[in-house]
Amino acid sequence: MTARTTQAPAPAAPTAFATAVSRARRIAWITPRGELLAPPRMTATAVRLLVQVCLVVYLWRGLYANTDSSAGLDETQAVGYAVLAVLANRIRGLDRRAGRDTVIQHLHFGTIVYWYLRPMRPQRYYALRALGDQLYGFGWVLAGYVLSLAVGVVAPPASLSVAGVFTVSMLLGQLVLYYVMMLVDLLCFWTLRNEAALLILVFAQNLLSGVYAPLWYFPDWFITLSMFLPFQATLGVPLSIYVGRIGVDDAFGQMAIQAVWIVLLALLTRRLWDRAGRRVVAQGG
């Protein structure tokens, strides 16, 4: 009798969905992996974040040394807002410039052409890269938030409903911020080397969104102007909900405005992506 040999079944080929998920994960992981493989950069980020939090805590406590309330905020609310603003700013805080991985650098060196040669639309590639950046930044925010709660520089949400509304508003704000930053990057297709203008736009975004200080401390005309711009919807609204400056009942109207900005910016950036592809110019290398 001859022994019958059994052959192991061949491994199943990955499905198209599994391949797409794997490709998306690798793309999203590009920038965070570069950070994780460079411990000195992570140490510098931790030290910088700690110094920034300490500075804003001492600054706002000093400003409230001789007053109990200002612009409708007490010291606890003002300090909590400032600390959360510093932490939230880290969500999109990854620096791609050292690796020559910003849009304006790709345009200057001509490597932006590879975004249009891949079997993936450039806007999808851009979205996956941004998603990876934001998830990595959220890890820093979560760690800083837990530490801030532990040492008492940030008060917990007043209720579960406030926490839930804040979470939804924060997610909407991050979508608005994503489209705002995309709009800034898309302007590079027309400005090419005008980095000063881009720095001004980023500064304006931080100022009008309430990163540097809550908008209620500014003059009335400044507050009115910011209402017609999308910047405060990125950060000012969710943080105002967290500290209690915007009540839960009023928050739904603000979140509706955030949703409107998301739709408008999505339509605008989609149109700009289509036109940007016609302006791809390789300069330098």
Side-chain angles (χ1 to χ4, degrees):
M1 298 179 61
T2 59
R4 178 179 297 177
T5 58
T6 58
Q7 186 176 3
T15 62
F17 176 77
T19 302
V21 170
S22 177
R23 183 186 298 116
R25 180 183 59 81
R26 291 196 303 270
I27 293 173
W29 190 241
I30 292 175
T31 310
R33 180 181 297 173
E35 292 286 316
L36 295 173
L37 294 178
R41 294 181 64 176
M42 295 188 64
T43 303
T45 299
V47 172
R48 182 169 60 251
L49 194 59
L50 178 62
V51 170
Q52 288 177 326
V53 170
C54 291
L55 287 177
V56 298
V57 169
Y58 288 121
L59 171 64
W60 286 98
R61 284 180 176 176
L63 292 175
Y64 276 82
N66 299 316
T67 183
D68 295 329
S69 177
S70 178
L73 294 179
D74 57 26
E75 178 183 323
T76 301
Q77 291 174 306
V79 172
Y81 182 102
V83 172
L84 291 174
V86 170
L87 294 176
N89 203 34
R90 280 298 314 167
I91 297 180
R92 289 296 300 271
L94 274 178
D95 183 15
R96 297 184 186 177
R97 184 167 296 275
R100 293 184 175 182
D101 197 21
T102 62
V103 172
I104 195 168
Q105 287 174 317
H106 282 302
L107 282 166
H108 172 60
F109 293 105
T111 51
I112 194 70
V113 70
Y114 295 113
W115 287 28
Y116 291 85
L117 296 178
R118 295 187 179 97
M120 176 182 293
R121 293 175 63 85
Q123 47 265 59
R124 177 173 172 79
Y125 177 78
Y126 182 96
L128 291 173
R129 294 295 304 276
L131 177 62
D133 291 357
Q134 288 181 295
L135 290 177
Y136 175 80
F138 179 75
W140 282 104
V141 172
L142 184 60
Y145 176 71
V146 172
L147 182 60
S148 298
L149 283 177
V151 300
V153 297
V154 173
S159 64
L160 289 177
S161 60
V162 172
V165 173
F166 161 74
T167 301
V168 175
S169 179
M170 193 67 182
L171 292 175
L172 292 174
Q174 287 304 303
L175 282 173
V176 177
L177 179 61
Y178 163 73
Y179 284 114
V180 168
M181 298 308 295
M182 181 193 295
L183 187 60
V184 172
D185 284 336
L186 284 171
L187 290 178
C188 297
F189 284 89
W190 283 265
T191 59
L192 294 181
R193 295 298 304 276
N194 199 353
E195 297 189 14
L198 297 179
L199 291 176
I200 292 173
L201 288 172
V202 172
F203 172 79
Q205 190 275 324
N206 288 333
L207 178 65
L208 294 171
S209 65
V211 171
Y212 299 134
L215 295 177
W216 317 297
Y217 293 97
F218 291 90
D220 292 338
W221 65 266
F222 189 91
I223 297 175
T224 302
L225 174 64
S226 67
M227 293 175 60
F228 295 94
L229 299 172
F231 303 113
Q232 69 170 341
T234 63
L235 190 62
V237 169
L239 294 190
S240 300
I241 295 172
Y242 185 96
V243 301
R245 187 61 169 75
I246 297 177
V248 173
D249 294 336
D250 298 328
F252 295 102
Q254 295 294 328
M255 289 191 294
I257 296 175
Q258 287 179 299
V260 170
W261 277 117
I262 290 172
V263 173
L264 293 178
L265 291 172
L267 294 174
L268 175 61
T269 53
R270 181 177 180 179
R271 175 62 176 169
L272 289 178
W273 271 116
D274 293 337
R275 299 189 62 181
R278 308 168 192 169
R279 298 184 59 88
V280 174
V281 177
Q283 293 183 344

